[in-house]
Amino acid sequence: KEEGKMRPALEDWQQLNACRRGLVSSFLRHYRAAGYREAAPLSVTSKQDESVVFVGAAISALKKDYIYPGKLPAGGLVIAQDAVRTRNVKNMLADDFEPKWGSYFTNIDTVFPYELKDEAFARALAFFSDKVKLAPEELLLRVHSEDEELYQLVRESGWPAVEVDAHPEKYYRHTVGIDGVYGENFNFAVRHKRTGEYSDVGNFIIFRERESRRPLFMEVGFGDTVIMQAKYGLAHVMDCYPFPKHPALDTNRKFKDCIITSQAMMREGLRPSSRDEQSKILYKYLRGVYYFAGRAGMRPQELARLLHHSEAMIFGDVRAAPAMTALFAAKGGRIEELNRGTLLNLQKERNER
């Protein structure tokens, strides 16, 4: 019954939600059953990790209480952390920009002592075979031969799908926002059901002290939407979220990205302003909502309904949509005017660059 949730008819929005949530919950159960302790996630707007603007990875939630004081449980930690990575927003309004990833996703992650390396590798492979139900040839391990410890681990496993040294060295390196610490990693990639191409879905990382290369701790983490996209043959990661049927959304993933990301931020109480970096970035995502709604010729009431139903379908309740609608109304309530203003601001920014 549990695994049935992993194989829904993805055209049904309720089944789509069940699939995404089922993937996350099966990951947590998989590791809890092995003795990993479940850690509490942060809000995406938390400022606990000062090395980032938004929480973009689960490790941000684990630094203060576990990593900095050296208090990782002997059996490891497991966590499901909602995350926002804002690299799309810079070019969101450019007609020739089509983002490969969405800004909002859930990072399913484990952090554990170095001594659990071999067990953790076997457990990660078991997650893909037993829970995600992938055949061995559908999971590719991408490793760097100069990372001798990781290369040996992969080579001795006898895993049938391995790629060696196919990328520049920086592809196999990880940063964690801690001075004097870096990561050596190999990547997991899943074969896309329709195209047959492999797409990266996560990492297996040894974090080391930079000068001595002494191993400090380890991490294995994945993104929920990239696994779903490859496994089910979806065209894009944004197709993992259940939006209402609407012509303005059906062909515009950037519009979807702006809606879901701004709602994720505003559900936590963030509002657009110029007072700090988080509020400025939220403004840019909301500007994208104005812009794409205007290009689609949407009236204010139509946009309000779209925002309401999108939030209800994706998040399960409605907290941000009323505030978003109120912001539109405060700016005059006419999307056409907002759109013209956005175009003028966009042209000004391009001229300044």
Side-chain angles (χ1 to χ4, degrees):
K1 184 177 180 180
E2 172 189 329
E3 297 304 331
K5 294 182 179 180
M6 299 286 289
R7 298 187 294 275
L10 293 184
E11 61 274 8
D12 182 283
W13 74 267
Q14 291 176 318
Q15 293 290 340
L16 188 61
N17 268 344
C19 174
R20 183 165 50 86
R21 292 167 183 164
L23 174 65
V24 172
S25 62
S26 68
F27 179 86
L28 294 173
R29 284 193 293 269
H30 180 67
Y31 281 91
R32 285 198 306 260
Y36 285 64
R37 184 194 305 174
E38 185 171 353
L42 297 174
S43 63
V44 297
T45 57
S46 169
K47 297 182 179 180
Q48 180 174 293
D49 183 358
E50 296 180 356
S51 70
V52 295
V53 178
F54 292 98
V55 174
I59 202 163
S60 288
L62 306 178
K63 289 179 181 179
K64 181 186 175 198
D65 294 331
Y66 300 103
I67 294 174
Y68 287 146
K71 293 182 178 179
L72 273 180
L77 294 167
V78 62
I79 184 172
Q81 173 67 59
D82 291 339
V84 167
R85 298 181 182 176
T86 60
R87 56 191 163 196
N88 290 345
V89 76
K90 181 179 179 181
N91 300 306
M92 192 68 80
L93 305 188
D95 291 339
D96 59 352
F97 173 66
E98 183 62 34
K100 183 176 181 180
W101 296 281
S103 303
Y104 175 79
F105 68 102
T106 300
N107 181 201
I108 47 179
D109 195 73
T110 63
V111 175
F112 48 91
Y114 169 77
E115 290 74 20
L116 292 183
K117 178 188 65 178
D118 292 351
E119 184 275 340
F121 178 48
R123 188 152 301 280
L125 295 179
F127 169 68
F128 282 104
S129 62
D130 300 345
K131 303 300 182 183
V132 187
K133 299 296 183 182
L134 295 182
E137 63 273 12
E138 294 178 302
L139 180 68
L140 177 69
L141 308 181
R142 290 173 157 161
V143 66
H144 187 35
S145 63
E146 293 185 13
D147 296 334
E148 296 180 3
E149 197 168 350
L150 293 177
Y151 180 59
Q152 181 179 359
L153 184 69
V154 170
R155 185 182 58 193
E156 291 181 353
S157 72
W159 195 256
V162 176
E163 173 192 272
V164 181
D165 295 340
H167 302 273
E169 185 181 38
K170 65 180 181 180
Y171 173 85
Y172 307 100
R173 293 294 175 265
H174 231 79
T175 59
V176 70
I178 302 176
D179 290 341
V181 176
Y182 80 101
E184 297 173 356
N185 61 271
F186 70 78
N187 286 1
F188 298 87
V190 174
R191 190 169 68 190
H192 193 277
K193 182 179 179 179
R194 298 187 186 278
T195 68
E197 298 179 358
Y198 286 96
S199 298
D200 287 350
V201 299
N203 316 101
F204 188 97
I205 312 166
I206 302 176
F207 285 105
R208 299 182 182 275
E209 188 176 65
R210 187 171 296 279
E211 290 190 5
S212 67
R213 295 194 69 248
R214 178 173 64 90
L216 300 174
F217 62 94
M218 296 190 63
E219 180 182 17
V220 176
F222 309 103
D224 61 340
T225 54
V226 285
I227 293 176
M228 284 181 60
Q229 180 194 9
K231 176 175 172 58
Y232 295 110
L234 303 177
H236 196 273
V237 291
M238 293 309 300
D239 298 335
C240 296
Y241 295 106
F243 284 89
K245 292 291 183 182
H246 192 285
L249 291 176
D250 293 345
T251 59
N252 191 338
R253 297 186 183 104
K254 293 189 289 186
F255 194 8
K256 292 180 177 180
D257 195 17
C258 288
I259 290 173
I260 191 172
T261 306
S262 57
Q263 288 186 337
M265 296 175 184
M266 292 183 70
R267 285 173 63 83
E268 297 180 359
L270 189 66
R271 295 296 181 265
S273 77
S274 59
R275 72 174 182 269
D276 60 33
E277 194 62 22
Q278 285 190 347
S279 301
K280 291 176 184 177
I281 292 173
L282 170 57
Y283 168 78
K284 292 179 180 180
Y285 276 99
L286 287 171
R287 184 182 63 177
V289 176
Y290 307 155
Y291 176 69
F292 294 121
R295 287 192 62 175
M298 296 181 69
R299 306 300 300 173
Q301 297 83 354
E302 184 182 9
L303 177 58
R305 288 193 298 270
L306 183 68
L307 295 174
H308 179 97
H309 291 305
S310 295
E311 186 177 5
M313 292 171 70
I314 294 167
F315 294 99
D317 59 14
V318 178
R319 301 181 206 168
M324 295 173 76
T325 302
L327 285 170
F328 295 164
K331 288 182 173 289
R334 293 191 60 192
I335 296 174
E336 302 96 315
E337 293 180 3
L338 293 171
N339 192 37
R340 282 196 292 274
T342 296
L343 288 171
L344 289 172
N345 289 337
L346 179 61
Q347 187 60 52
K348 181 180 178 182
E349 290 178 9
R350 287 175 174 169
N351 291 340
E352 290 174 351
R353 288 202 298 268

